[in-house]
Amino acid sequence: MRQLLYNAFLPLCSSLSLKDIHAFGRGLGWLMWTALPARRKETTARIRDRLGLGERQARELARASFRHSACAFLELFHARYMDYRFLAERVEYENPELFARMCSSPRPIVGVTGHLGSWELLGGVLKCFSSKTDCQVVVRLPKDPALSDLLMHMRSQSKIRVLPHRDAAVSALGQLRGGGLSAFLVDHNCRRAEAQFLPFLGEVAAVNKGPAILALRAKAEVWPCFLLRLPEGRFRFVTLPCLDTAGLTGSRAERIESICRFYTDAVERMVLRHPEQWFWMHRRWKTRP
């Protein structure tokens, strides 16, 4: 039954313009805010405690986060329409020299980002500008098989291969050792066995060390990048300076921690810049040391 529902939902959302998707997303965000009082209260408290805000300001920021997160998930249905014309008309680049270096680098690249801004559209930028002939995106999939199939279908594009994170290690390492690019969302909560525990927004969080281990084994460059949502259907691509793991010293554990700390700090800086565009509903601090 759910498969039929998702199959009916797919052509409907895929036919919408980006403007319509954002209008739909704002409406969906309002509906979630209204219909999920427990999650609304939890998100507000999380923002208040992590950012040190008053109750009223935290509540307004939480409401904006609901809207932005709903828009971000629905932008999945527009990801395949990201082409050179779209990018030329709608995307501006912060640190364009770093963006050019990332796209032209002959080294293995681990791209890292978070659930911030328009993360579902990031693959379209990499597809158009990366010098790599084949880019991998490693994702966590929901437990619902029908929904997983839908997400895999929508995220897969020319030059973009999507891998479920549980089965990604061998393929991603081979991709990197061949000089390719593998991209990860690094602000998920994760299991204790997978975690490096580090401070994030003032509280210790479980940071997935899988991308760090792969980067270290492949001697890759780690590039943080983010696609922020601007008014009127425009976007800003932010590229931050990279970490060259080939130059790290210390024990293996110390180098892995350094890489984890590097990409965790990058996400934290961007969340503090644009807290309304981060996915605060996620239970980021669920796994404890």
Side-chain angles (χ1 to χ4, degrees):
M1 181 62 184
R2 280 180 293 189
Q3 184 71 60
L4 293 174
L5 180 61
Y6 295 147
N7 288 341
F9 192 60
L10 176 59
L12 172 63
C13 289
S14 298
S15 66
L16 296 176
S17 68
L18 186 62
K19 182 178 180 179
D20 291 335
I21 284 175
H22 287 164
F24 188 9
R26 290 190 294 271
L28 179 60
W30 173 85
L31 180 61
M32 293 166 61
W33 178 261
T34 304
L36 301 173
R39 186 56 67 91
R40 179 177 69 220
K41 181 178 180 181
E42 181 181 344
T43 303
T44 300
R46 191 174 295 133
I47 291 173
R48 182 194 65 217
D49 296 342
R50 298 281 69 81
L51 300 182
L53 301 177
E55 185 70 24
R56 182 174 180 178
Q57 190 176 2
R59 184 179 175 85
E60 288 305 309
L61 191 54
R63 191 197 304 269
S65 174
F66 270 62
R67 291 195 301 269
H68 276 280
S69 297
C71 288
F73 281 110
L74 290 176
E75 283 167 346
L76 169 70
F77 294 98
H78 201 78
R80 295 187 175 191
Y81 299 103
M82 299 278 284
D83 56 18
Y84 290 105
R85 180 177 177 180
F86 179 97
L87 297 174
E89 293 176 349
R90 293 180 179 267
V91 180
E92 60 186 56
Y93 297 87
E94 186 174 310
N95 302 324
E97 70 288 348
L98 291 178
F99 177 72
R101 277 182 52 199
M102 179 182 68
C103 291
S104 62
S105 175
R107 297 281 304 286
I109 290 177
V110 170
V112 293
T113 192
H115 291 84
L116 181 92
S118 299
W119 66 83
E120 289 289 359
L121 297 182
L122 267 172
V125 182
L126 295 176
K127 173 185 69 176
C128 290
F129 288 109
S130 176
S131 62
K132 313 298 184 184
T133 58
D134 186 23
C135 303
Q136 288 180 341
V137 177
V138 180
V139 299
R140 290 175 179 260
L141 294 174
K143 295 179 180 179
D144 183 345
L147 182 57
S148 294
D149 290 344
L150 172 66
L151 295 177
M152 288 288 286
H153 172 74
M154 293 305 301
R155 285 168 170 161
S156 298
Q157 307 177 48
S158 61
K159 284 186 66 175
I160 302 291
R161 289 195 299 135
V162 181
L163 299 177
H165 82 286
R166 296 292 183 204
D167 307 317
V170 174
S171 180
L173 183 58
Q175 172 90 346
L176 292 169
R177 283 179 169 168
L181 180 150
S182 293
F184 301 83
L185 285 156
V186 294
D187 59 346
H188 283 288
N189 184 64
C190 63
R191 298 182 301 181
R192 189 174 290 108
E194 303 169 325
Q196 179 79 51
F197 288 96
L198 294 169
F200 178 66
L201 296 174
E203 179 69 33
V204 171
V207 177
N208 193 326
K209 58 187 177 183
I213 293 171
L214 291 170
L216 187 64
R217 292 183 67 181
K219 296 182 173 61
E221 295 176 343
V222 182
W223 283 92
C225 51
F226 306 87
L227 189 64
L228 303 175
R229 189 177 298 105
L230 301 177
E232 300 180 2
R234 293 185 57 79
F235 304 90
R236 176 182 295 125
F237 193 98
V238 179
T239 313
L240 299 181
C242 77
L243 172 69
D244 187 348
T245 63
L248 293 177
T249 59
S251 68
R252 181 175 182 273
E254 289 171 338
R255 286 178 287 164
I256 290 172
E257 180 178 345
S258 295
I259 301 168
C260 290
R261 190 179 299 277
F262 171 77
Y263 55 66
T264 300
D265 288 348
V267 174
E268 181 179 84
R269 291 201 302 274
M270 295 305 297
V271 172
L272 292 175
R273 275 180 57 178
H274 297 277
E276 77 286 353
Q277 295 197 33
W278 192 53
F279 185 43
W280 286 95
M281 285 180 279
H282 174 53
R283 293 186 171 96
R284 181 66 189 88
W285 294 269
K286 181 179 178 181
T287 300
R288 308 311 304 150

